């Protein structure tokens, strides 16, 4: 039965909504919190911060992750930084400007109220993390340093060299471990959630698999928080960790949680290009490199010269040429499409010709001259100036340059990097209201697992901001409005027909996968799915390709359930079985992504329909017909019903995006 979408956005001026909400939301008194159980699935930035904060508030928390430690969550891979409207640079930043940049960057397909709240709490995140000891970069005088990211004209990105995600996760992990040590959080590592259990329409727990023993476990709670990241690995090749998957969110979807805007996928422009068919993942080079690096291709087609042999006058700095106001710092979707266009037109570089140059030679000279002036080296040679500049760049981006050299064998201090777009982040996710609750009462989605804040394109350095905002500052408040009505529920037993039925269904699926005994590995199906998705629902989509993709994915699903081969048994350590279950969910998700992309007859952000573009090749929105969130409700496997949440903009003027 369909659920009527209600975003539950508070009334009043947008500047006052969150403040008034916090002042009027129902509360749970401390004595009652001790009797309320919360399950948190996933222990990245959103999950670790939510689990720690809820435990600090007095709730009993169970936290689950499929890794052997919360420290291995994929949040650790984030490199460039985290946004906050601190205006430390005195360059005109503000809460409103961060709010505006985020809505515009998302091509006017995000929910206004959620984005403004995100901008409001962003400043608190930095204070929280500094108090935890996160070693943000600092200026000489001790002030926290900032740099720019795509889609903005201010410096609001706080960073810790090129390992910001790791440092932020260590802060959240420390807070989580403190609560584990205090006995307020029970941690379940190497456990994977395989189903949500609902009782009388409310989420009351999960079925989890112990990945070491293969045993299924029942865990009950008054609320379940899904903090399980995105689903970019549906494309097989992505910048996500190989273990990242959609299973938890997809099981919630199959239990009634709507999936919103699943086709909104972010293609990151600054990745190391694919080197061959042997690869199982791709590596991201931080967007922060676009602060000082210049992106270019040869001005002539099929130029086979080495980068350093091509003189300045024979280079095309195409982002600076096409978007002079933002240059190399245009948003990710714009930069990605521009790189694809140049490569498709025959200007690509490298062995595959599917790459562009990211060049730091100008930055070496610029920083070198500044350092030479500081040190009164007025007669320094060009080589000495470049050496000084390289030292500055090494301090700012050194680990990223080292990583590039280790992977490619090329020294980016001597030759330009080669980059090309790749799948990185998914703006779509489970539909949530202002409280971050899904369409299943008591089931919440935080961070990348929900759809709410980024619209059709995420601005760089906003993923870490959203994850920590949801975990530290939003969900702990909004939970109270729901849990205040649960204080009379009492302890929830796992010995009920609902838990028994859910466990039985999970076991039945695992047994079915084991007993197919086909001829093809789960990995081979995943790889084939990824090629369909990338070729027909990737950086560019069109009606014919999307229809073909849906047909091909349906055939692939049929083949999977008849010919997959899973070695081993269900009741033991069996990574192949775990992989098979995740691939089965990816196949179903892939079909829905193509259905969603086919339904949205417009281009916006990362969703680029070739039929809908301006004469200059930019995304052409259709605000009259598609100014809504697509919230998909599963009717049965392979069949969905579309529900629409209208997007209303009262505080921002809608306009065609321009970064020129």
């Amino acid at each position: 039965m369909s659920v009527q979408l209600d975003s539950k956005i508070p009334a009043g001026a947008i500047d006052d909504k969150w403040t008034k909400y916090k002042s009027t939301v129902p509360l749970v008194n401390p004595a009652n919190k001790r009797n309320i159980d919360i399950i948190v699935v996933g222990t990245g930035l959103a999950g670790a911060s939510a689990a720690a904060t809820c435990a600090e508030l007095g709730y009993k928390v169970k936290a689950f992750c499929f890794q052997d430690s919360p420290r291995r969550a994929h949040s650790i891979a984030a490199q460039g930084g985290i946004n906050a409207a601190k205006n430390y640079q005195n360059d005109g930043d503000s809460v409103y400007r961060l709010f505006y940049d985020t809505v515009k960057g998302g091509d006017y397909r995000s929910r206004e109220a959620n984005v403004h709240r995100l901008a409001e709490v962003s400043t608190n995140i930095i204070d929280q993390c500094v108090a935890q000891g996160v070693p943000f970069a600092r200026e000489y005088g001790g002030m926290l340093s900032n740099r720019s990211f795509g889609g903005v004209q201010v410096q609001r990105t706080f960073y810790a060299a090129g390992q910001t995600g790791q440092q932020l996760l260590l802060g959240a992990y420390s807070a989580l471990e403190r609560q584990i040590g205090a006995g307020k959080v029970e941690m379940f590592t190497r456990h994977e959630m395989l189903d949500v259990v609902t009782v009388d329409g409310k989420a009351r727990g999960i079925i989890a698999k112990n990945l070491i023993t293969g045993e299924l476990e029942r865990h009950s709670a008054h609320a379940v928080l899904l903090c399980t990241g995105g689903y970019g690995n549906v494309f097989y090749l992505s910048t996500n960790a190989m273990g990242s998957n959609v299973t938890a969110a997809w099981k919630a979807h199959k239990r009634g949680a709507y999936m919103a805007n699943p086709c909104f996928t972010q293609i990151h422009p600054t990745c190391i290009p694919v080197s061959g068919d042997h690869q199982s993942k791709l590596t991201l080079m931080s967007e922060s490199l676009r602060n000082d690096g210049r992106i270019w291709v040869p001005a002539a087609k099929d130029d086979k010269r080495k980068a350093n042999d091509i003189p300045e006058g024979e280079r095309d700095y195409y982002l600076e040429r096409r978007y002079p106001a933002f240059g190399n710092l245009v948003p990710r979707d714009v930069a990605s499409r521009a790189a694809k266009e140049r490569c498709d037109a025959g200007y690509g570089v490298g062995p595959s010709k599917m790459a562009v140059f990211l060049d730091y030679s100008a930055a070496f000279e610029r920083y070198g001259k500044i350092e030479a002036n500081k040190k009164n080296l007025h007669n320094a040679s060009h080589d000495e100036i470049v050496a000084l500049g390289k030292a500055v760049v090494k301090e700012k981006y050194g680990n990223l340059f080292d990583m590039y050299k280790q992977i490619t064998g090329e020294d980016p201090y001597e030759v330009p990097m080669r980059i090309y777009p790749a799948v990185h982040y998914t703006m779509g996710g489970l539909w949530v209201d202002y409280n971050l609750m899904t369409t299943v009462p008591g089931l919440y989605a935080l961070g990348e697992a929900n759809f709410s804040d980024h619209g059709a394109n995420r601005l760089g350095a906003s993923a870490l901001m959203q994850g920590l905002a949801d975990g530290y500052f939003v969900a702990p408040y909004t939970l109270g409005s729901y849990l205040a009505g649960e204080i009379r529920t009492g302890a929830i037993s796992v010995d009920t027909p609902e838990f028994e039925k859910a466990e039985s269904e999970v076991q039945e699926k695992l047994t079915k996968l084991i007993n197919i005994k086909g001829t093809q590995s789960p990995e081979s199906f995943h790889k084939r799915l990824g090629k369909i998705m990338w070729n027909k629902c990737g950086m560019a989509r069109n009606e014919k390709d999307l229809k073909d993709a849906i047909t091909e994915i349906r055939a692939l699903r049929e083949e999977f359930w008849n010919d997959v081969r899973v070695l081993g048994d269900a009741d033991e350590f069996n990574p192949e079985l775990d992989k098979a279950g995740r691939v089965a969910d990816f196949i179903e998700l892939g079909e829905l992504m193509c259905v969603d992309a086919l339904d949205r007859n417009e281009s916006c952000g990362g969703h680029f329909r070739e039929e809908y573009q301006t004469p200059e090749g930019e995304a052409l929105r259709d605000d009259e017909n598609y100014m809504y969130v697509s919230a998909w409700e599963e009717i049965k496997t392979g069949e969905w019903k579309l529900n629409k949440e209208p997007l209303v903009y009262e505080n921002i003027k809608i306009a065609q995006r321009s970064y020129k």
Side-chain angles (χ1 to χ4, degrees):
M1 183 172 134
S2 296
V3 176
Q4 186 68 34
L5 293 179
D6 180 4
S7 58
K8 295 186 172 65
I9 298 172
I14 198 162
D15 293 339
D16 301 327
K17 289 182 188 294
W18 181 234
T19 300
K20 185 175 180 180
Y21 178 98
K22 290 188 294 182
S23 301
T24 58
V25 68
L27 300 176
V28 181
N29 79 53
N32 286 330
K33 286 177 182 175
R34 294 193 292 267
N35 300 316
I36 291 179
D37 298 292
I38 295 173
I39 284 175
V40 178
V41 184
T43 52
L45 288 181
S49 59
T53 307
C54 288
E56 186 78 39
L57 289 172
Y59 296 109
K60 294 188 297 180
V61 179
K62 288 183 177 181
F64 295 79
C65 69
F66 66 74
Q67 301 95 341
D68 60 357
S69 166
R71 287 181 61 181
R72 294 191 186 275
H74 185 58
S75 300
I76 203 171
Q79 299 167 343
I82 177 171
N83 289 330
K86 283 284 196 181
N87 195 31
Y88 278 178
Q89 305 299 320
N90 197 29
D91 55 2
D93 202 9
S94 65
V95 167
Y96 181 84
R97 193 174 293 277
L98 175 53
F99 160 61
Y100 173 80
D101 287 344
T102 304
V103 173
K104 177 185 175 183
D107 218 352
Y108 305 96
R109 291 295 178 264
S110 53
R111 187 189 289 151
E112 241 191 13
N114 288 63
V115 177
H116 196 278
R117 177 176 64 189
L118 176 64
E120 286 181 69
V121 304
S122 68
T123 57
N124 298 336
I125 297 170
I126 304 304
D127 297 339
Q128 170 92 2
C129 294
V130 169
Q132 290 174 335
V134 173
F136 286 120
R138 293 179 181 269
E139 304 292 353
Y140 179 78
M143 290 287 287
L144 294 179
S145 183
N146 294 113
R147 54 192 179 199
S148 296
F149 262 56
V152 305
Q153 293 179 307
V154 297
Q155 294 183 75
R156 66 162 66 102
T157 303
F158 296 78
Y159 63 98
Q163 48 186 247
T164 312
Q166 178 179 356
Q167 299 303 328
L168 292 174
L169 185 62
L170 287 173
Y173 170 76
S174 298
L176 174 61
E177 286 295 316
R178 177 174 177 269
Q179 297 303 319
I180 293 171
K184 296 180 180 180
V185 174
E186 189 175 2
M187 186 71 228
F188 294 85
T189 58
R190 301 297 290 154
H191 279 68
E192 182 169 24
M193 184 199 111
L194 294 183
D195 209 350
V196 175
V197 181
T198 59
V199 180
D200 296 330
K202 295 182 178 181
R204 291 303 193 194
I206 65 172
I207 303 298
K209 181 185 178 187
N210 183 322
L211 298 179
I212 302 298
T213 66
E215 179 185 4
L216 295 181
E217 301 175 2
R218 305 175 186 179
H219 296 274
S220 65
H222 297 86
V224 177
L225 278 58
L226 299 185
C227 312
T228 51
Y231 48 83
N233 274 354
V234 69
F235 291 88
Y236 187 72
L237 286 179
S238 81
T239 65
N240 289 189
M242 289 180 64
S244 298
N245 63 82
V246 76
T247 289
W250 195 250
K251 299 308 185 190
H253 174 57
K254 297 183 81 68
R255 291 293 183 187
Y258 292 0
M259 185 66 74
N261 298 335
C263 78
F264 285 173
T265 306
Q266 179 161 89
I267 313 295
H268 197 296
T270 319
C271 299
I272 297 178
V274 176
S275 60
D277 202 46
H278 61 282
Q279 282 184 269
S280 54
K281 82 173 299 294
L282 297 174
T283 303
L284 171 70
M285 299 306 297
S286 170
E287 181 171 318
S288 63
L289 293 172
R290 290 202 274 146
N291 268 272
D292 293 307
R294 300 179 73 192
I295 296 171
W296 62 276
V297 293
K301 290 185 179 181
D302 301 317
D303 194 325
K304 295 180 172 56
R305 290 177 292 176
K306 294 181 180 179
N308 291 342
D309 294 335
I310 301 175
E312 186 74 13
E314 297 176 27
R315 300 178 177 187
D316 177 17
Y317 294 92
Y318 58 89
L319 291 178
E320 298 172 34
R321 169 173 56 82
R322 290 177 60 178
Y323 309 102
F326 283 74
N328 296 294
L329 285 172
V330 292
R332 291 174 177 178
D333 61 315
V334 176
S336 292
R337 282 195 297 275
K340 181 180 187 297
E341 184 275 328
R342 289 289 80 191
C343 291
D344 289 349
Y347 297 92
V349 302
S352 69
K353 299 299 180 183
M354 297 301 287
V356 299
F357 288 126
L358 176 62
D359 194 339
Y360 260 72
S361 56
F364 296 150
E365 292 194 26
R366 185 176 71 255
Y367 282 123
K369 290 176 181 178
I370 294 172
E371 289 300 300
N373 285 333
K374 285 182 181 177
K375 298 177 181 180
N376 294 317
L377 301 175
H378 302 301
N379 296 317
S381 68
H382 179 265
D383 288 346
E384 290 172 329
I385 287 174
V386 169
L388 289 170
K390 286 179 179 178
V392 174
V393 168
K394 185 174 184 179
E395 183 177 344
K396 292 166 72 77
Y397 309 106
N399 66 308
L400 298 171
F401 276 57
D402 293 343
M403 183 172 68
Y404 182 88
K405 184 177 181 179
Q406 290 171 2
I407 292 172
T408 67
E410 299 177 352
D411 186 353
Y413 290 104
E414 304 301 327
V415 297
M417 298 182 191
R418 285 179 289 110
I419 58 171
Y420 192 71
V423 173
H424 177 58
Y425 188 92
T426 49
M427 286 76 66
L430 294 173
W431 185 91
V432 293
D433 60 19
Y434 189 77
N435 297 324
L436 305 185
M437 189 187 291
T438 69
T439 46
V440 177
L443 180 65
Y444 292 76
L446 282 61
E448 193 180 355
N450 75 38
F451 87 98
S452 67
D453 290 8
H454 307 298
N457 172 67
R458 178 175 67 77
L459 293 182
S462 288
L464 305 185
M465 175 175 63
Q466 186 205 353
L468 291 180
D470 287 356
Y472 281 136
F473 300 110
V474 179
Y477 273 105
T478 63
L479 271 171
S481 67
Y482 174 75
L483 293 175
E486 295 295 313
I487 57 177
R488 293 182 176 83
T489 302
I492 298 171
S493 173
V494 297
D495 297 319
T496 64
E498 292 85 357
F499 275 91
E500 184 177 342
K501 183 173 184 290
E503 182 181 340
S504 176
E505 289 174 353
V506 170
Q507 186 64 62
E508 182 181 337
K509 182 174 181 179
L510 295 175
T511 303
K512 183 178 180 180
L513 285 168
I514 289 286
N515 290 338
I516 293 172
K517 301 194 182 302
T519 62
Q520 302 179 65
S521 69
E523 187 81 357
S524 67
F525 281 101
H526 192 185
K527 200 169 191 176
R528 288 165 61 191
L529 173 67
K531 288 182 177 179
I532 295 171
M533 294 298 297
W534 177 248
N535 291 333
K536 299 182 178 180
C537 193
M539 248 194 294
R541 298 103 184 251
N542 61 63
E543 182 179 3
K544 180 184 181 302
D545 282 351
L546 289 168
K547 287 181 176 178
D548 289 346
I550 292 169
T551 299
E552 292 171 26
I553 292 171
R554 287 172 178 168
L556 187 69
R557 184 178 73 231
E558 183 73 17
E559 187 179 350
F560 175 89
W561 285 105
N562 284 282
D563 198 34
V564 72
R565 183 170 184 82
V566 179
L567 302 176
D569 296 318
D571 57 348
E572 63 180 7
F573 176 72
N574 192 339
E576 277 296 284
L577 178 57
D578 304 332
K579 172 76 174 180
R582 295 166 190 166
V583 172
D585 295 330
F586 274 138
I587 291 173
E588 293 183 15
L589 167 67
E591 181 179 352
L592 177 57
M593 291 173 68
C594 294
V595 168
D596 186 39
L598 182 62
D599 179 79
R600 188 170 282 274
N601 292 318
E602 66 165 351
S603 291
C604 56
H607 170 61
F608 190 75
R609 283 285 295 271
E610 293 172 339
E611 305 96 323
Y612 308 101
Q613 55 182 300
T614 67
E616 297 81 23
E618 305 295 343
L620 183 61
R621 295 195 323 269
D622 181 353
D623 294 337
E624 183 178 349
N625 295 304
Y626 292 96
M627 187 77 83
Y628 59 75
V629 176
S630 298
W632 294 92
E633 170 190 4
E634 186 181 69
I635 306 303
K636 62 180 182 180
T637 299
E639 183 180 333
W640 292 272
K641 175 187 175 183
L642 175 60
N643 300 273
K644 301 176 182 179
E645 177 199 343
L647 292 170
V648 179
Y649 293 96
E650 299 174 340
N651 300 275
I652 285 180
K653 181 182 177 181
I654 306 301
Q656 186 68 29
R657 269 198 316 170
S658 174
Y659 293 94
K660 296 181 179 182

